[in-house]
Amino acid sequence: MNFEDLIAKVKTCGKQKLAVAAAEDDAVLEAVDAAHKQGIADAILVGDEAAIRKIAAELNIDLSDYEIINEPDKVQASLKAVKLAHDGVANMYMKGLLDTKTFLKSVLDKEVGLRTGNTLSHVAVFEVKGIEQLLFLTDVAFMTYPTLEDKVHIIENTVAVAHTCGVECPKVAPLAAGDLADELRKMNAEGKITGCVVDGPLSMDIAIDPEAAHHKGAQDRPAAGHADILLFPDIQAGNLVYKTLVHTADCKNGCILTGTKVPAILTSRSDSFQTKVNSIALAAVVAAGLDQ
C-alpha cells in the first residue's frame, strides 16, 4: 500500500467534497486543483474572492468548476467553511491562509464545528522507501502529553484511519517503556481495545526493522519489525520523528486531524505541495470510508 494506491482507492468511491477556509493561499489552491484534476475531490473555496481569483490567474487555475463563497474576514471564512462540513455539504475541511489557532477554534465551535464527543488526535501517514508498509505516526501535532485514556482514544482514531486505508488488523507499537505501554497491551488482550494488535513497549528500531528485531531476540513479538502504527509517548517525541523523516528520508506523507465529524486537513505553509495533495487524498479515503 502506498499513496498511489490510496488515490486509486478514492477514485473508486467518486470525488469527495472539500471545504477550504481562507482559500486565498497559492500553495493550497495549487494542491486543491491538483486533487480536483486527479479525480480525488471537488472543492468549495471560502475566502477573499478577489484574492482567490488573482492567485488562480497567476497559477493558470481554471475556477469555473469551483464554487466560491466570498468572505474576506478570516474568522468568518473559517466558520462558514466548517459549517459546510458540519451540515454535510462537504465531507472534508481544510485550512487555507489561516493561523492554526483560528482553524482549530472553528473545528471546536459548539454550533457549527466538527465535535463528536470523541477525543481529537492527529495522524501522519508515511510511505518510506525501504519499509514495505505504510507507517501511521500518532500523535505528532495535537495531543501534547496524552494520558492512558487519551492513548486509548488515539489508538482508536488511528486504527479507524488504518482500516479505511486497507490495513485490516494494524499492529500498534507504543514507543515507550513503562506501565502505560504495558497497560495498553493488556487492554488489547482483554478486548478493551479492538480492531488491532497492540504490542508494547517497543523501541523504534524493533518496531520497524525486522533485522533489528532479530538481533535483539524480539522477532517473535507480534509487531516486531512490521508495526503499522507508531504511538509516541508525547508530542515532542512524535514531532521529532516526523520532522526527521520529512527532512532526511526518501518518503511521502499526508496528515489529518481525526476524532472529528469529518477529517480535517491541518497543513502548514512549510509542507510540500505533494504533502498537501497526499493529505487531501488521505482525507478523501477516510471520508469515503465514513460514508459507507
Side-chain angles (χ1 to χ4, degrees):
M1 177 68 70
N2 54 40
F3 275 101
E4 287 187 7
D5 295 331
L6 290 182
I7 291 172
K9 183 180 176 71
V10 77
K11 285 181 179 179
T12 66
C13 305
K15 281 185 180 180
Q16 304 303 301
K17 182 73 75 172
L18 174 66
V20 185
E24 59 273 15
D25 180 288
D26 51 355
V28 168
L29 276 179
E30 193 173 15
V32 167
D33 194 55
H36 171 71
K37 289 177 178 176
Q38 291 180 45
I40 299 170
D42 289 323
I44 302 172
L45 309 176
V46 184
D48 186 328
E49 183 171 359
I52 291 170
R53 292 192 179 280
K54 181 176 183 296
I55 292 169
E58 293 170 351
L59 297 174
N60 294 315
I61 294 174
D62 181 3
L63 292 177
S64 59
D65 290 333
Y66 297 94
E67 178 182 350
I68 301 174
I69 297 175
N70 183 39
E71 179 51 76
D73 182 271
K74 294 189 185 301
V75 172
Q76 289 303 311
S78 69
L79 293 174
K80 288 183 178 180
V82 79
K83 188 175 187 298
L84 294 170
H86 177 273
D87 293 346
V89 178
N91 56 2
M92 300 182 289
Y93 178 46
M94 185 174 189
K95 171 180 169 290
L97 191 62
L98 197 67
D99 64 87
T100 298
K101 184 177 179 180
T102 300
F103 181 78
L104 291 176
K105 277 187 174 181
S106 69
V107 169
L108 298 172
D109 187 272
K110 292 181 179 180
E111 294 184 5
V112 298
L114 304 177
R115 290 171 177 257
T116 62
N118 296 331
T119 299
L120 272 60
S121 61
H122 184 272
V123 58
V125 181
F126 275 83
E127 173 191 335
V128 183
K129 185 175 181 179
I131 297 178
E132 61 181 23
Q133 72 275 20
L134 288 174
L135 294 178
F136 297 77
L137 278 61
T138 192
D139 186 314
V140 306
F142 186 79
M143 186 76 71
T144 52
Y145 297 101
T147 63
L148 175 64
E149 183 180 1
D150 292 333
K151 288 187 177 184
V152 172
H153 293 309
I154 290 171
I155 290 173
E156 291 170 344
N157 287 346
T158 311
V159 165
V161 173
H163 285 171
T164 61
C165 291
V167 185
E168 293 183 4
C169 186
K171 300 178 181 67
V172 182
L175 300 175
D179 295 338
L180 284 189
D182 192 52
E183 186 63 26
L184 291 168
R185 179 187 59 77
K186 290 178 181 177
M187 292 176 73
N188 178 237
E190 294 168 356
K192 297 176 181 177
I193 300 174
T194 61
C196 61
V197 174
V198 179
D199 180 22
L202 288 178
S203 61
M204 183 72 166
D205 56 343
I206 291 177
I208 64 173
D209 185 349
E211 187 174 344
H214 177 77
H215 284 311
K216 294 187 175 182
Q219 66 272 18
D220 295 329
R221 300 268 307 255
H226 302 285
D228 302 292
I229 297 174
L230 303 180
L231 176 66
F232 294 98
D234 55 51
I235 197 171
Q236 294 185 45
N239 195 256
L240 283 168
V241 173
Y242 174 89
K243 289 183 177 177
T244 298
L245 284 173
V246 167
H247 293 287
T248 66
D250 185 351
C251 65
K252 298 177 182 178
N253 73 292
C255 313
I256 59 171
L257 188 65
T258 62
T260 46
K261 186 175 182 179
V262 305
I265 305 167
L266 177 59
T267 57
S268 69
R269 289 191 66 83
S270 63
D271 284 326
S272 69
F273 160 77
Q274 192 59 54
T275 293
K276 289 180 171 66
V277 176
N278 290 342
S279 297
I280 296 171
L282 175 62
V285 170
V286 172
L290 290 174
D291 287 341
Q292 293 175 359

